[in-house]
Each structure stands twice: as C-alpha cells, then as structure tokens.
C-alpha cells in the first residue's frame, strides 16, 4: 500500500514554462486536494475534487488548473510558471467520511527562476 | 470565514520538558479538529484528532482537548524527546476541506 505518491519530487522551471504534477492514491478515496506550502503561511488549498470528473477552486487557484480523469489520479498543471509559484506542493486524499482525515503525499519542491 | 490561529515559533525546549502549543479557531458549528505533524523533508501526518466538544485526542504521548467554550485545541506533551522536533499544524474541517494554522516549529535539544 503506497498511500499517496507524487511525481516529481523536485523540479526547476524557467518563467513561462509549463509543467504537470501528478498525484496518485491507492486507497480508493473520493476526495483529493492540492495544497501549496510557503514559509510562515501554513498550507493553502489550491484546488480539490470530490470525485472522478469533478474539480473545484480552493483558496489560491489562480495560475493553476487541475484534472481528475481517473479516481486514483489528480493532476495539477501550471500553464505559464511564475516565480511566485515557487513553493512546496502537497497532494492529499480522504474518504470524505466521518471526520475527513486527509492523507498526504511527500511533496514536490518547485522552483521557478 | 473559518480560520485557525496557532502560536508562532520556533519553540525551543530541552529534552523531557513540558510542551504546550496553543491553537484557537473560528468556525460556524462544531468542526472536527486536528493536529498534524511534519518531520523534515516529509509530508504531513495526522497526529491526533477530536470530533466533538470535550473530546480528547491522544497519540504518541501528545494530547489535545476540544474546548468549545474557549474555541481552543491546545497541543500538550508531558516530556518531549529530540525525535519530536518537527513542525506542528493545527487544522479544522470546513465542509470537507481542511483549514490550517501557519504551523509551529518545535526544536528539542538534548
């Protein structure tokens, strides 16, 4: 049971380049989330999904797009990267039941030059 | 909207000292409350939770009690170890989304 995995672990981009971060979970969870973590700001929700084929905006969605074509995968895209998107990105998933415990991936450290 | 406020760090303690990290929240209704821990270079792990008022969550010697009257969920441990050095996040469940505090870094010295 791998839990939540993220690909890649590290990436350096130049301003204006695009990339996709992949999140996969093997727990058959309905809900999936993308967060960014910046120093002194905790985790902020970018986008989330409550089931296959659905997506919704979180607290800081600008500059990002997401897709949930398969239940186990949640993709985060940056179409034109900016230095302000330098951050650590975490994916999480939950069953959506009871108290909504979320399980987190190991993170992707992205630097935009 | 819902929000979580936790004490700023870093908190530096000697091994075996008593730990308190304060957390207060603002929310409509009675959300579930969580403490997550992040060890260096890793993702977040659930440390403990409480789902209703007066519940006490506990795990690995850490405890926190859901106090409705003071809207608080302070994290405590009686005797910290060097291995407890990490960043601790308080969070609440808001319509199946988690709202996090800014995190408190704990450093425990031998």
């Amino acid at each position: 049971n791998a839990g939540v995995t993220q690909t890649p672990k590290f990436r350096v981009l130049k301003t204006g380049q695009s990339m996709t971060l992949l999140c996969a979970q093997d727990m058959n969870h309905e809900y999936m989330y993308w967060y960014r973590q910046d120093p002194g700001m905790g985790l902020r929700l970018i986008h989330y999904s409550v089931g296959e084929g659905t997506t919704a905006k979180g607290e800081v969605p600008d500059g990002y797009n997401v897709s949930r074509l398969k239940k186990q995968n949640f993709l985060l895209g940056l179409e034109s990267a900016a230095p302000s998107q330098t951050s650590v990105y975490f994916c999480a998933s939950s069953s959506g039941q009871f108290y909504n415990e979320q399980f987190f991936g190991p993170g992707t450290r992205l630097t935009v030059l | 909207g819902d929000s979580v406020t936790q004490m700023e760090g870093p908190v530096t303690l000697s091994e075996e000292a008593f730990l308190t990290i304060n957390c207060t929240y603002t929310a409509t209704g009675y959300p579930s409350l969580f403490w997550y821990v992040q060890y260096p270079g890793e993702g977040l792990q659930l440390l403990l939770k409480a789902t209703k008022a007066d519940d006490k969550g506990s795990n690995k010697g850490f405890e926190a009690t859901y106090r409705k009257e003071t809207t608080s969920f302070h994290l405590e441990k009686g005797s910290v170890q060097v291995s407890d050095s990490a960043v601790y996040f308080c969070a609440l469940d808001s319509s199946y989304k988690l709202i996090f505090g800014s995190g408190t870094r704990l450093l425990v010295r031998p």
Side-chain angles (χ1 to χ4, degrees), chain B residues 6-15 17-23 35 62 75-77 80-82 84-89 103-110:
Chain B
Q6 57 181 111
M7 60 188 290
E8 290 192 18
V11 174
T12 303
L13 296 173
S14 297
E15 205 165 23
F18 184 85
L19 168 71
T20 299
I21 300 178
N22 291 337
C23 171
W35 277 100
F62 291 90
L75 183 68
E76 296 181 335
K77 187 175 186 183
V80 294
Q81 305 301 312
V82 171
D84 294 327
S85 296
V87 181
Y88 293 81
F89 293 93
T104 302
R105 182 175 299 277
L106 171 65
L107 176 61
V108 180
R109 301 190 185 280

Side-chain angles (χ1 to χ4, degrees), chain B residues 39-82:
Chain B
Y39 298 104
E42 298 183 10
L44 279 70
Q45 304 173 26
L46 180 65
L47 180 60
L48 54 83
K49 66 183 184 298
T51 58
K52 61 184 186 296
D54 300 325
D55 264 3
K56 177 185 282 188
S58 62
N59 186 25
K60 299 180 181 179
F62 291 90
E63 292 183 341
T65 301
Y66 192 138
R67 301 285 189 200
K68 182 179 64 174
E69 63 277 8
T70 54
T71 62
S72 65
F73 193 54
H74 304 321
L75 183 68
E76 296 181 335
K77 187 175 186 183
S79 175
V80 294
Q81 305 301 312
V82 171

Side-chain angles (χ1 to χ4, degrees), chain A residues 56-72:
Chain A
K57 294 181 180 180
E59 181 186 356
V60 289
D62 294 343
Y64 305 94
N65 56 75
V66 288
S67 64
R68 183 105 182 263
L69 298 180
K70 293 182 179 180
K71 185 177 184 178
Q72 64 267 34

Side-chain angles (χ1 to χ4, degrees), chain A residues 33 35-37 41-45 59 90 92 102 104, chain B residues 2-6 23-24 34-37 44-46 88-94 97-103:
Chain A
Y33 309 83
Y35 295 90
R36 59 178 288 171
Q37 183 180 29
M41 302 188 74
L43 276 77
R44 293 181 292 169
L45 183 64
E59 181 186 356
F90 288 99
Q102 292 187 16
F104 283 79
Chain B
D2 296 351
S3 66
V4 175
T5 303
Q6 57 181 111
C23 171
T24 58
F34 307 86
W35 277 100
Y36 279 82
V37 59
L44 279 70
Q45 304 173 26
L46 180 65
Y88 293 81
F89 293 93
C90 185
L92 65 82
D93 177 30
S94 176
K97 301 185 292 290
L98 287 181
I99 308 296
F100 286 90
S102 57

